[in-house]
Amino acid sequence: MGSYVVKVLFEILMLFLYTEVSVLGFNQVNQLTKSSYVKCHEREKQSLLNFKQSLLDNFGMLSTWRDDGDNKDCCQWRGIVCNNETGHVMMLDLHGDWDAQYLSTGKINITSLIELRNLEYLDLSSNGFGGSPVPKNIGLFTNLRFLNLSTCGFGGRIPYEMGNLSKLEYLDLSMNADIDGVIPYQLGNLSQLQYLDLTAVFLSGVMPFHIGNLPILHTLKLVGSFDSLNNNDEAAEWLSSLFSLKNLDLSSFANLGFSSHMLQTLSKLIPNLRKLRLVGRGLLDNDIPSLFPSNANFSTSLNSLDLSQNMLTSSSFKFLFNFSLNLEELYLSENNIVMSTPLFYPNFPSLVKLDLSKNNLSSSSFQGIFSFSSKLRELNLEECSLMDTSFLRSTASVMNSSSSLLILDLSYNLLKSSVIFHWLLNFTTNLRSLNLGENLIEGPIPYGFGKVMNSLEILHLHYNKLQGKIPASLGNICTLQELYLHDNSLSGEISNIFQNSSKCNRYKFQIPDLSFNWTIGVKPNLSNFPSLRILDLSNNKLIGEIPESIGLLYELEFLHLEENYLGGDIMESHFTNLFNLLDLDLSDNPLSLKVGTSWVPPFQLLRLRLASFKLGPSFPSWLQNQRHLRFLDISNAGINDSVPNWFWSKLQSITEMNMSHNGLIGTIPNLPIKLASQWRIYIMNSNQFEGGIPAFWSQALVLDLSKNKISDMTTFLCGMRANRHMEILDLSNNQIAGHLSDCWESLNSLKFLDLGDNKFSGKIPKSMGTLANLEVLVLRNNGLVGELPLSLKNCTRLVVLDVGENLLSGPIPKWIGESLPQLKILSLRVNNFFGSFPSYLCYLRQIHLLDLSRNNLSKCIPSCLQNFTAMIDRNTIPSPVSGRILSSGALISDIYESNVLLVWKGAERVYWNPDNLLKSIDLSGNNLTGEIPKEVGYLLGLVSLNLSRNNLSGKIPFEIGNLTSLDFLDLSRNRLHGKIPSSLSQIDRLAKLDLSHNLLYGRIPSGRQLQTFDGSSFEGNVDLCGELLNKTCPSDETKVKHQGVAYDDDGANSDFYEALYMSMGIGFFTGFCGLIGSILIWRPWRIAYWRFMNRMIDCRILWHFVMVAVNVTKCHKWLKE
């Protein structure tokens, strides 16, 4: 995946090549005047037709190359320009696109163009020529002045025959990562060369001195290429001889530095350079004075300097200010620059563009304008750890706003509040492009923002935490062209902003992206915006029908309305004028397509997603007209039909396809198809396909035909066209029978292989051991016999090994523990493995799930279970799923995860993603003996433990109470004895417990969780007692018995004691009431009673006083003595 990202970045660079109107005097093809009087020569026409035969035309670029009707004049063919006077072909421009390779072939036949002797311009860039070498015969085209073979997938060495192109002025071999070897010295013969680009061509050896014989070379790009060349004095010498250089790019992909001699050489070149790029060169602060030694030496012409991805600090930033008065563009991204106060900011008088992105500017404070330059127009502060405190307003600088700044990028920072909006309203009101995406901004968008920022053309607020309604004032920005609000929590009626926008910018508004929000309402009428190119309202809460007026958006290229609540029928009229539509996604809406069988769409799509969309029951015949499709998702579309033969031919251009979860029937024909040159991801599971797998599928990178009725795979696997690049193969849940073919060595790049739930028999072939890159191997639920082959020990990257539910036998191999250290899932369940539980399985420190259930294993469980270190950590328990539909918006290969079948609480479940899989040990249904090792109590992350149906004895270890993550515990049907440990009551998450049919005795411990189980969890233990079994324990009976005997001994006198107690109560009540009543009722008695009480109190006080006096006297006497 990492290499793909690098290649994509390479290809993006190619976009800049085609932005120029002319290169070295050659105008673009569509601007050249073609002759309408002189026709092409017959021999040259036949040469072009022969060349066409060797190519695969994925997008119809060569559709006009025909020798019939009005197409006989090859000078009128697309991509060809002839000389007006002679009729000879001078220019052949067949370049592709950076994301769409128009032409492809296994090996390019450049010899067929040999008749084009007058050819001066040849551009085959951005096409797919499948690793074929750079054609040697290119040296025969001696009149070439322009040659562009970039991004073609060429490999091998640069042919020395290129040195014969003595008139060549422009040579681009960049972005061909498979080109290697040394630079042929013959390239020094290209004395007319002005432009040389060897970016990402990973060469070796030394740069030949002859290359220095390029007197008029003005542009040299060796990005990445210079890394592998010897960085020595010779390299510095040839570089110093290029006196005409104006543009130099020696950037690195490996952060390789320069020698001191090379730095000195560069410093001598700088005075004449206009552009210099030294990206990723590991430059330090002390290297900068070596490059720019003095003011006299410094260039007055250098206007663009790129020192990104180095290790420079703020001192270098300040140093450059003193030596770069004419600098217009400065790129210092990904360095170690820190700015603490505005006083530090250097001011570059001519600077127009400044890139400080990916530096740590968290302590910076922009109280007023950005003071780097009075002419600054573009500033990039992306991913600089900026916070709200960096943008506090200063009343002293409110009036000092920036009038020159037009483009500001503050994305990927740590901005949280609306402070940034208020700062912008005070200092940068003339902005044309503002990017605040990928921050943490909360709250609503200020209503006044749209009123004040009335010059904005592009606004990015995506991936924040914005809430509230989308302010209608954004629609008042009459200059607004692109609006990105996706991935927030914005709500309200979606029509508000469009109603206001239609008043002033209806002819400018091109891109509204409001996807992944909470907006509601019906889809707005967008016919007032004829300039819309991209419309993305996906993942909202839109309801109602899609208006037919959407068909009036004749500029629309990208339409995404997926995952809403839109309903109704889509008619032909919805697409009437969508001639430019390239990307259409209406997935996951209750929509139906109602078009005629002869309908021909007006568009030619590159990407089509109609997943979970009522497209069937017939297979959509209108797809036959779509000649440029590269991505197709019509999964779960209700299609119950056979796939026509014409469709399979489209796989020559379709790179990603998902037709899963339909009712597609019939066999897939074995056609001589060459699949597309990129990706080749095909998902067709959950259908009704029958028969064998055609050989052409072996070219795929990802192939999923699971859950069909496939019955044979021999031709596919052992054919002559097997693809060594296939990574994922899923043929599970089919009807494939017979022995597994022994020719797996042809798929040695395979990472995922699932052949489970078929009817295979025989032994596992030894050639599976050649799959050294295999990470997932699933062969469960077949009829495989014999032992696991020793060759599987070579699959050292295995993460999942599932061969459960077969007839495999023999002891569990020792190499599983010794050679598969990355194993996370091991399932050998329901087989005939015998012997002891192998202690070497304890080497599997990464194991998450171990299932050896229902075999014939014997002897004791080893005590080394504590070596399962992955089971010690606690993880979140995922929810099991029984099936899924791949998302239409995601790259299929990225979300294709491995799975495992687990018997969970008595039912079979499928779990995805072993990294988050619950931790489980299942050894049930064997003949294991001995005690349960107490070391199992160290596996704190264990969620499921099943040791049932064995012959285990001894006590349940007390340490099992440490397993607080345990959800499932089954120790039933063993010979365990003793009491149930009270520590079990500490496991609050325990949902399933079975201790039945053992020899346990005593009282069932009390505890909140244990009291939730019924008696079936403990039945079959004769001496077990407690409330859960409705059985009284012996200690309870003894206590009740003693209490009963004491009561019976006194039974004879019970009447006497009852009468005595009653008499005492009556007497007490009578005496108390007589005394108290007399005192309360008769006044003389009451007075006499209170006088008596007063005397008693006075006497008590007097007594205390006398005692205090006596004690004080004694104390004085004691002190004197």
Side-chain angles (χ1 to χ4, degrees), residues 600-627:
V600 177
F603 45 71
Q604 286 294 325
L605 297 174
L606 292 177
R607 301 171 187 86
L608 173 63
R609 300 174 179 90
L610 296 177
S612 299
F613 181 100
K614 297 177 183 178
L615 192 59
S618 300
F619 193 87
S621 58
W622 53 271
L623 286 178
Q624 186 171 7
N625 177 260
Q626 299 302 298
R627 299 185 299 272

Tab-separated table of all heavy atoms in Angstrom, residues 600-627:
chain	number	residue	atom	x	y	z
A	600	VAL	N	-29.514	4.879	-24.675
A	600	VAL	CA	-28.081	5.146	-24.809
A	600	VAL	C	-27.780	6.401	-23.992
A	600	VAL	O	-28.181	7.498	-24.376
A	600	VAL	CB	-27.677	5.346	-26.273
A	600	VAL	CG1	-26.187	5.688	-26.365
A	600	VAL	CG2	-27.995	4.106	-27.092
A	601	PRO	N	-27.073	6.289	-22.873
A	601	PRO	CA	-26.794	7.457	-22.035
A	601	PRO	C	-25.962	8.494	-22.793
A	601	PRO	O	-25.133	8.141	-23.640
A	601	PRO	CB	-26.006	6.880	-20.853
A	601	PRO	CG	-26.314	5.415	-20.859
A	601	PRO	CD	-26.533	5.037	-22.284
A	602	PRO	N	-26.154	9.764	-22.492
A	602	PRO	CA	-25.379	10.809	-23.181
A	602	PRO	C	-23.962	10.935	-22.646
A	602	PRO	O	-23.148	11.648	-23.233
A	602	PRO	CB	-26.191	12.080	-22.888
A	602	PRO	CG	-26.877	11.798	-21.597
A	602	PRO	CD	-27.186	10.332	-21.602
A	603	PHE	N	-23.658	10.261	-21.525
A	603	PHE	CA	-22.349	10.409	-20.886
A	603	PHE	C	-21.490	9.168	-21.100
A	603	PHE	O	-21.977	8.104	-21.486
A	603	PHE	CB	-22.514	10.665	-19.384
A	603	PHE	CG	-23.531	9.753	-18.727
A	603	PHE	CD1	-23.278	8.396	-18.525
A	603	PHE	CD2	-24.762	10.250	-18.311
A	603	PHE	CE1	-24.211	7.567	-17.924
A	603	PHE	CE2	-25.700	9.429	-17.711
A	603	PHE	CZ	-25.425	8.087	-17.522
A	604	GLN	N	-20.200	9.330	-20.796
A	604	GLN	CA	-19.245	8.232	-20.750
A	604	GLN	C	-18.585	8.268	-19.371
A	604	GLN	O	-17.701	9.072	-19.105
A	604	GLN	CB	-18.196	8.363	-21.864
A	604	GLN	CG	-18.704	8.042	-23.250
A	604	GLN	CD	-19.076	6.572	-23.392
A	604	GLN	OE1	-18.451	5.700	-22.819
A	604	GLN	NE2	-20.113	6.307	-24.180
A	605	LEU	N	-19.033	7.388	-18.494
A	605	LEU	CA	-18.605	7.414	-17.100
A	605	LEU	C	-17.244	6.756	-16.914
A	605	LEU	O	-16.902	5.785	-17.601
A	605	LEU	CB	-19.628	6.715	-16.209
A	605	LEU	CG	-21.027	7.331	-16.132
A	605	LEU	CD1	-21.947	6.438	-15.325
A	605	LEU	CD2	-20.962	8.723	-15.522
A	606	LEU	N	-16.506	7.291	-15.928
A	606	LEU	CA	-15.308	6.619	-15.436
A	606	LEU	C	-15.625	5.793	-14.196
A	606	LEU	O	-15.051	4.729	-14.000
A	606	LEU	CB	-14.222	7.649	-15.095
A	606	LEU	CG	-13.595	8.418	-16.256
A	606	LEU	CD1	-12.603	9.441	-15.720
A	606	LEU	CD2	-12.918	7.468	-17.222
A	607	ARG	N	-16.543	6.291	-13.371
A	607	ARG	CA	-16.893	5.613	-12.120
A	607	ARG	C	-18.412	5.593	-11.973
A	607	ARG	O	-19.053	6.639	-12.092
A	607	ARG	CB	-16.250	6.308	-10.918
A	607	ARG	CG	-14.733	6.363	-10.989
A	607	ARG	CD	-14.157	7.244	-9.891
A	607	ARG	NE	-12.719	7.430	-10.056
A	607	ARG	CZ	-12.167	8.367	-10.805
A	607	ARG	NH1	-12.957	9.230	-11.459
A	607	ARG	NH2	-10.872	8.472	-10.921
A	608	LEU	N	-18.940	4.420	-11.667
A	608	LEU	CA	-20.386	4.266	-11.488
A	608	LEU	C	-20.635	3.443	-10.234
A	608	LEU	O	-20.139	2.324	-10.098
A	608	LEU	CB	-21.005	3.570	-12.704
A	608	LEU	CG	-22.488	3.195	-12.581
A	608	LEU	CD1	-23.344	4.451	-12.417
A	608	LEU	CD2	-22.940	2.395	-13.796
A	609	ARG	N	-21.429	4.006	-9.319
A	609	ARG	CA	-21.791	3.319	-8.082
A	609	ARG	C	-23.310	3.370	-7.928
A	609	ARG	O	-23.879	4.432	-7.722
A	609	ARG	CB	-21.121	3.975	-6.872
A	609	ARG	CG	-19.602	3.991	-6.918
A	609	ARG	CD	-19.043	4.799	-5.749
A	609	ARG	NE	-17.591	4.842	-5.729
A	609	ARG	CZ	-16.867	5.763	-6.332
A	609	ARG	NH1	-17.474	6.724	-7.026
A	609	ARG	NH2	-15.558	5.756	-6.265
A	610	LEU	N	-23.920	2.213	-8.039
A	610	LEU	CA	-25.365	2.090	-7.842
A	610	LEU	C	-25.632	0.929	-6.895
A	610	LEU	O	-26.523	0.110	-7.127
A	610	LEU	CB	-26.077	1.881	-9.183
A	610	LEU	CG	-25.989	3.034	-10.197
A	610	LEU	CD1	-26.677	2.659	-11.492
A	610	LEU	CD2	-26.581	4.322	-9.630
A	611	ALA	N	-24.878	0.853	-5.805
A	611	ALA	CA	-25.041	-0.216	-4.823
A	611	ALA	C	-26.329	-0.005	-4.030
A	611	ALA	O	-26.722	1.132	-3.745
A	611	ALA	CB	-23.846	-0.255	-3.883
A	612	SER	N	-27.000	-1.107	-3.686
A	612	SER	CA	-28.273	-1.051	-2.952
A	612	SER	C	-29.238	-0.086	-3.637
A	612	SER	O	-29.845	0.794	-3.022
A	612	SER	CB	-28.025	-0.634	-1.492
A	612	SER	OG	-27.193	-1.559	-0.847
A	613	PHE	N	-29.368	-0.273	-4.908
A	613	PHE	CA	-30.172	0.573	-5.787
A	613	PHE	C	-30.978	-0.377	-6.665
A	613	PHE	O	-30.464	-1.377	-7.141
A	613	PHE	CB	-29.213	1.427	-6.624
A	613	PHE	CG	-29.866	2.388	-7.580
A	613	PHE	CD1	-30.000	3.718	-7.262
A	613	PHE	CD2	-30.318	1.963	-8.825
A	613	PHE	CE1	-30.575	4.611	-8.159
A	613	PHE	CE2	-30.896	2.841	-9.717
A	613	PHE	CZ	-31.031	4.172	-9.379
A	614	LYS	N	-32.262	-0.091	-6.895
A	614	LYS	CA	-33.116	-0.998	-7.658
A	614	LYS	C	-32.809	-0.887	-9.139
A	614	LYS	O	-33.417	-0.110	-9.867
A	614	LYS	CB	-34.584	-0.689	-7.373
A	614	LYS	CG	-34.981	-0.905	-5.911
A	614	LYS	CD	-36.429	-0.515	-5.661
A	614	LYS	CE	-36.792	-0.666	-4.189
A	614	LYS	NZ	-38.186	-0.244	-3.908
A	615	LEU	N	-31.832	-1.695	-9.551
A	615	LEU	CA	-31.368	-1.635	-10.925
A	615	LEU	C	-31.934	-2.778	-11.760
A	615	LEU	O	-32.064	-2.660	-12.970
A	615	LEU	CB	-29.835	-1.690	-10.939
A	615	LEU	CG	-29.099	-1.367	-12.219
A	615	LEU	CD1	-29.427	0.039	-12.691
A	615	LEU	CD2	-27.600	-1.514	-12.010
A	616	GLY	N	-32.237	-3.915	-11.103
A	616	GLY	CA	-32.697	-5.110	-11.812
A	616	GLY	C	-34.187	-5.046	-12.114
A	616	GLY	O	-34.815	-3.995	-12.049
A	617	PRO	N	-34.746	-6.246	-12.465
A	617	PRO	CA	-34.120	-7.578	-12.377
A	617	PRO	C	-33.212	-7.926	-13.566
A	617	PRO	O	-32.422	-8.846	-13.475
A	617	PRO	CB	-35.313	-8.521	-12.322
A	617	PRO	CG	-36.373	-7.804	-13.093
A	617	PRO	CD	-36.183	-6.353	-12.812
A	618	SER	N	-33.330	-7.210	-14.679
A	618	SER	CA	-32.505	-7.522	-15.842
A	618	SER	C	-31.144	-6.842	-15.717
A	618	SER	O	-31.015	-5.796	-15.080
A	618	SER	CB	-33.195	-7.052	-17.128
A	618	SER	OG	-34.448	-7.689	-17.293
A	619	PHE	N	-30.157	-7.456	-16.330
A	619	PHE	CA	-28.830	-6.851	-16.336
A	619	PHE	C	-28.887	-5.569	-17.178
A	619	PHE	O	-29.443	-5.569	-18.281
A	619	PHE	CB	-27.799	-7.815	-16.923
A	619	PHE	CG	-26.377	-7.399	-16.679
A	619	PHE	CD1	-25.726	-7.775	-15.522
A	619	PHE	CD2	-25.695	-6.619	-17.594
A	619	PHE	CE1	-24.421	-7.394	-15.272
A	619	PHE	CE2	-24.388	-6.220	-17.367
A	619	PHE	CZ	-23.748	-6.612	-16.202
A	620	PRO	N	-28.351	-4.447	-16.684
A	620	PRO	CA	-28.484	-3.162	-17.399
A	620	PRO	C	-27.760	-3.173	-18.748
A	620	PRO	O	-26.523	-3.126	-18.805
A	620	PRO	CB	-27.858	-2.158	-16.425
A	620	PRO	CG	-26.973	-2.970	-15.539
A	620	PRO	CD	-27.616	-4.308	-15.414
A	621	SER	N	-28.533	-3.201	-19.819
A	621	SER	CA	-27.948	-3.270	-21.161
A	621	SER	C	-27.254	-1.979	-21.558
A	621	SER	O	-26.369	-1.981	-22.417
A	621	SER	CB	-29.040	-3.609	-22.185
A	621	SER	OG	-30.078	-2.630	-22.153
A	622	TRP	N	-27.633	-0.852	-20.939
A	622	TRP	CA	-27.035	0.424	-21.309
A	622	TRP	C	-25.565	0.521	-20.912
A	622	TRP	O	-24.847	1.410	-21.366
A	622	TRP	CB	-27.822	1.590	-20.704
A	622	TRP	CG	-28.034	1.499	-19.211
A	622	TRP	CD1	-29.073	0.897	-18.567
A	622	TRP	CD2	-27.175	2.022	-18.200
A	622	TRP	NE1	-28.928	1.016	-17.216
A	622	TRP	CE2	-27.770	1.699	-16.960
A	622	TRP	CE3	-25.981	2.731	-18.213
A	622	TRP	CZ2	-27.199	2.066	-15.740
A	622	TRP	CZ3	-25.399	3.091	-17.004
A	622	TRP	CH2	-26.010	2.755	-15.791
A	623	LEU	N	-25.097	-0.403	-20.069
A	623	LEU	CA	-23.676	-0.419	-19.726
A	623	LEU	C	-22.800	-0.747	-20.938
A	623	LEU	O	-21.611	-0.441	-20.942
A	623	LEU	CB	-23.406	-1.436	-18.617
A	623	LEU	CG	-23.864	-1.057	-17.194
A	623	LEU	CD1	-23.555	-2.191	-16.239
A	623	LEU	CD2	-23.199	0.233	-16.736
A	624	GLN	N	-23.407	-1.366	-21.951
A	624	GLN	CA	-22.627	-1.716	-23.138
A	624	GLN	C	-22.068	-0.468	-23.818
A	624	GLN	O	-21.008	-0.520	-24.455
A	624	GLN	CB	-23.497	-2.509	-24.116
A	624	GLN	CG	-22.738	-3.040	-25.313
A	624	GLN	CD	-23.581	-3.992	-26.146
A	624	GLN	OE1	-24.789	-4.157	-25.908
A	624	GLN	NE2	-22.965	-4.641	-27.126
A	625	ASN	N	-22.756	0.637	-23.656
A	625	ASN	CA	-22.329	1.891	-24.278
A	625	ASN	C	-21.226	2.595	-23.494
A	625	ASN	O	-20.575	3.492	-24.018
A	625	ASN	CB	-23.544	2.821	-24.424
A	625	ASN	CG	-23.204	4.171	-25.001
A	625	ASN	OD1	-23.072	5.140	-24.266
A	625	ASN	ND2	-23.055	4.216	-26.325
A	626	GLN	N	-21.004	2.175	-22.240
A	626	GLN	CA	-20.004	2.836	-21.388
A	626	GLN	C	-18.628	2.244	-21.670
A	626	GLN	O	-18.255	1.196	-21.148
A	626	GLN	CB	-20.389	2.674	-19.918
A	626	GLN	CG	-21.735	3.287	-19.564
A	626	GLN	CD	-21.773	4.770	-19.881
A	626	GLN	OE1	-21.009	5.557	-19.331
A	626	GLN	NE2	-22.682	5.171	-20.763
A	627	ARG	N	-17.859	2.933	-22.479
A	627	ARG	CA	-16.588	2.399	-22.968
A	627	ARG	C	-15.405	2.745	-22.069
A	627	ARG	O	-14.337	2.168	-22.231
A	627	ARG	CB	-16.314	2.933	-24.380
A	627	ARG	CG	-17.364	2.549	-25.411
A	627	ARG	CD	-16.961	3.010	-26.802
A	627	ARG	NE	-16.807	4.455	-26.872
A	627	ARG	CZ	-17.796	5.294	-27.152
A	627	ARG	NH1	-19.027	4.810	-27.362
A	627	ARG	NH2	-17.587	6.595	-27.220
